Amino acid sequence: MDFFAILLPTFIIARADHFNVSLINQMVLGIVWVSLEVNFICGFLQPYPWLMTVAVAILFMSKCIAMTKPSGYLFGFTGLLVGSIALNFMSYPGFDSEEFTLTLWVSALAIYPICGLAYYLFSEPDHEPEYKSEPAKLQPKNVPVQHAHIDVLRQTAMGWTISMLAFLIFQFGDLSDSVSAQASIFIVLTPMTFIGAMAAAKIRISGTLLGCVAGMAIQLGLSSWANNGLLFLMAFAIAVGFFAWLLALGGVKGGLGFSAMSALSVPLTTTFQPGQQDAFFAIVYRFSSITFAVILTSLAIWLTHHFLVRVIKVPHEYD
C-alpha cells in the first residue's frame, strides 16, 4: 500500500492551485476515520456476515451523502475508496490490519510535507486560491428546489448501489490482486452523475493505456540497464513529468494525467525488481483488469441510472 504515498498528494494537487490546509485535512480525516470504522466493523462483525453487510451499507450510505455536499465531498470520496479497499484486504485470513492501518496513516500524514514542498517550490502566481472540487452536479439555479433534491437523492442512491455491488463482488471473489480495478470503480463513480461517470470511464481507460505504455517503454528501453537505479529514476521522472504536465492542465487532460500517473507508478513501485522480476505481466494485468472493471461499472451505472429515474420521480406539479 506504499503507492498511496504517491497517489494521495497527486489527488490533492490536482484539485487546488495553492496549499489548502482545509482540503488536506478533509482527506486525512476521511482516511483516518474510515480506517477506524473498517477496523471496528471487521473486528467485531466479521463472524456475522449479515450484520457486517448492514454495517457496511450504513457506512457507505454516510459517505455517499457526504459526497453530495461540496464541503464534504473529499471526505466522502476517500471514505468510499479507502474503506472499500480496506474491507477487501481485511477479509483475507492472515492479513495484518494493524500494519495496513499504520501504513495508511503514514501515507495520509505524508500529504502535508509533500504538498507543502511542491507548492513552495512550484508556486502559482498570487491570486485567489482555487479549490477544484468535484461536488455532485445539480440542476441549474432556476430549476425548482424539488428537482435539486430529487437529483441529490438519485446521486446518493446510485453511489450507494455501485459501492455495495463492489463490496459484495470483492467479498465473494478472490480478487486481492485487483486493487487498481477496485479503485477504478470509485474513480468512475466520482462525478456522481450518469453523464459524468461515462466521461470518467473513457478518461480512465485512455489514461491507464498511456501509463501502461510508458511503463513498458521504460522497462524495454532500459533493458539490462534497469539495474542502474539512477537511470531508472531518470526514466521514471521523465514519464511522470509529462503526465504531471497533463495533470496541471486540468479538465479532461488532467484526468488523463492522473490515470496515467497511477498506471505508471503502481507497477513500477510495487512489482518491478531489477534483476529479479519485471513488471510486464503486472502492467498487462493492470490494464486488462481496469478496462474490464470500468466497462462493468459503466454498465452497472447505466442500469442503475435508468432504474432510479423510473423509481425516484419528480412530483407531477414540478414537471
Side-chain angles (χ1 to χ4, degrees):
M1 293 299 133
D2 292 339
F3 63 85
F4 274 122
I6 299 175
L7 299 183
L8 292 178
T10 305
F11 204 81
I12 292 292
I13 292 174
R15 282 157 178 76
D17 290 334
H18 294 267
F19 189 75
N20 191 320
V21 177
S22 62
L23 183 61
I24 300 176
N25 287 343
Q26 191 181 152
M27 172 173 273
V28 173
L29 179 61
I31 292 172
V32 172
W33 181 245
V34 78
S35 63
L36 293 174
E37 291 175 313
V38 169
N39 273 281
F40 178 84
I41 291 174
C42 292
F44 290 95
L45 301 180
Q46 202 163 35
Y48 313 101
W50 287 108
L51 289 177
M52 179 176 174
T53 302
V54 172
V56 171
I58 296 173
L59 170 66
F60 284 171
M61 178 61 72
S62 67
K63 307 307 179 187
C64 290
I65 293 174
M67 286 181 69
T68 63
K69 306 176 185 301
S71 60
Y73 173 84
L74 199 55
F75 175 85
F77 175 75
T78 53
L80 276 182
L81 176 63
V82 176
S84 180
I85 293 174
L87 285 166
N88 177 28
F89 280 102
M90 290 185 185
S91 65
Y92 293 96
F95 180 77
D96 192 339
S97 59
E98 292 183 2
E99 181 182 353
F100 172 83
T101 302
L102 290 176
T103 301
L104 190 60
W105 287 3
V106 171
S107 298
L109 293 176
I111 299 175
Y112 290 101
I114 292 175
C115 288
L117 185 61
Y119 285 118
Y120 176 76
L121 295 176
F122 308 101
S123 59
E124 290 281 338
D126 291 334
H127 56 76
E128 185 177 353
E130 180 183 357
Y131 169 24
K132 305 171 188 174
S133 62
E134 294 183 28
K137 310 295 190 299
L138 300 180
Q139 295 289 341
K141 293 182 179 180
N142 59 344
V143 174
V145 174
Q146 185 67 33
H147 284 253
H149 289 167
I150 293 298
D151 284 338
V152 170
L153 184 59
R154 287 173 179 166
Q155 291 161 5
T156 304
M158 182 173 70
W160 180 81
T161 302
I162 301 302
S163 301
M164 287 304 298
L165 284 175
F167 167 73
L168 293 174
I169 290 172
F170 280 87
Q171 284 295 304
F172 287 106
D174 185 8
L175 302 170
S176 60
D177 294 330
S178 301
V179 62
S180 299
Q182 187 175 7
S184 296
I185 294 174
F186 295 96
I187 291 175
V188 170
L189 189 62
T190 294
M192 293 288 283
T193 62
F194 170 66
I195 296 177
M198 295 303 102
K202 296 177 183 178
I203 293 172
R204 181 64 176 168
I205 292 177
S206 301
T208 300
L209 178 61
L210 284 175
C212 289
V213 169
M216 289 184 179
I218 290 175
Q219 183 171 315
L220 294 175
L222 292 177
S223 187
S224 59
W225 293 339
N227 290 312
N228 189 309
L230 180 60
L231 290 178
F232 176 79
L233 182 60
M234 289 177 61
F236 181 79
I238 291 172
V240 170
F242 174 72
F243 296 141
W245 172 70
L246 289 177
L247 185 71
L249 296 178
V252 174
K253 293 180 180 179
L256 286 172
F258 179 80
S259 296
M261 196 177 298
S262 62
L264 172 68
S265 301
V266 176
L268 294 187
T269 57
T270 61
T271 304
F272 184 64
Q273 299 174 17
Q276 301 178 35
Q277 181 179 355
D278 62 35
F280 183 82
F281 175 77
I283 291 172
V284 173
Y285 176 75
R286 179 178 178 80
F287 177 72
S288 59
S289 63
I290 287 177
T291 301
F292 185 67
V294 168
I295 292 174
L296 288 184
T297 302
S298 300
L299 179 60
I301 290 175
W302 181 81
L303 292 173
T304 304
H305 169 76
H306 284 81
F307 174 76
L308 293 174
V309 167
R310 287 165 175 75
V311 173
I312 306 177
K313 298 181 178 180
V314 179
H316 179 70
E317 61 268 25
Y318 292 101
D319 290 342

